[in-house]
Amino acid sequence: MSGEGVYALSRTHRQELIELQEAALGGEAWTPGMVDEEFDRPGGVLLGVGEPLQGFACAWIVLDELHLLLIAVEATSRRRGLARALHTALLARARGRASAGWLEVRADNAAARCFYGSLGWEEVGARPRYYTDGCDAVVMRMAPLYQPAAKR
Ligand SMILES: CC(C)(COP(=O)(O)OP(=O)(O)OC[C@H]1O[C@@H](n2cnc3c(N)ncnc32)[C@H](O)[C@@H]1OP(=O)(O)O)[C@@H](O)C(=O)NCCC(=O)NCCS
């Protein structure tokens, strides 16, 4: 799936975004205040897909790096390429601004590790006990940022 159908989120999507990320992330969900901060962040990229909202992506472009904070898709809409479409659109928006990408993912999140791995992200390190429940974070990197998506 290409990045077609992906759009920039605005405050009109605030409540949908809060509910979607709470459902998708449970105890790791952002508070409403943290969600609000992402709408106006300089260098922030906040994208959505689906009407009503089925998935979203949040990233920061800091200097020449893309920091991918989160991609999440509603549970009943998974394995339909929506997260891949969000990722494609995210990289398109970072093109010409960022040359490398970084992200952190829970070590026990097998689905997300497979997802990012399938798109060319490499596991390059770990942050022990990074999450509040003691779970490690896996650090992933994509450099250069625009490898062909398919690693399958
Ligand atoms: C990870 C997540 C975003 C994937 O969303 P998705 O829309 O289902 O992903 P896609 O359909 O675009 O999948 C693209 C590819 O990623 C891989 N993939 C996705 N989910 C996978 C899973 N559960 N197991 C193994 N591989 C998976 C596959 O290679 C897949 O291609 P395929 O379906 O053709 O085999 C989704 O599971 C999710 O929202 N999880 C909860 C939130 C989360 O943990 N986000 C990441 C934290 S940073």
Side-chain angles (χ1 to χ4, degrees):
M1 193 176 192
S2 70
E4 205 175 323
V6 176
Y7 53 89
L9 286 176
S10 69
R11 284 190 182 274
T12 58
H13 302 99
R14 177 180 184 273
Q15 194 54 37
E16 276 188 295
L17 177 55
I18 289 170
E19 288 170 14
L20 192 156
Q21 60 100 33
E22 282 176 352
L25 301 168
E28 297 290 334
W30 296 339
T31 63
M34 292 161 77
V35 170
D36 284 339
E37 287 178 20
E38 299 308 323
F39 285 110
D40 301 319
R41 186 180 295 282
V45 185
L46 194 53
L47 302 177
V49 67
E51 293 279 358
L53 191 65
Q54 290 172 290
F56 75 98
C58 180
W60 301 344
I61 298 174
V62 181
L63 301 177
D64 63 347
E65 292 182 345
L66 176 77
H67 292 259
L68 202 170
L69 274 72
L70 186 57
I71 296 182
V73 171
E74 182 207 1
T76 59
S77 303
R78 290 180 188 162
R79 298 311 286 265
R80 296 184 196 163
L82 294 183
R84 191 186 295 127
L86 286 160
H87 183 269
T88 300
L90 200 53
L91 293 200
R93 279 163 177 75
R95 197 175 300 272
R97 300 162 69 190
S99 57
W102 294 93
L103 66 83
E104 280 139 7
V105 61
R106 287 178 65 98
D108 61 3
N109 191 342
R113 290 173 70 174
C114 285
F115 167 68
Y116 290 122
S118 78
L119 296 172
W121 291 80
E122 290 182 71
E123 298 192 357
V124 295
R127 299 192 199 285
R129 301 184 63 77
Y130 181 77
Y131 295 97
T132 49
D133 65 355
C135 185
D136 295 351
V138 175
V139 179
M140 302 187 78
R141 182 168 189 256
M142 187 192 281
L145 199 51
Y146 307 109
Q147 292 174 359
K151 257 200 168 181
R152 294 181 283 164

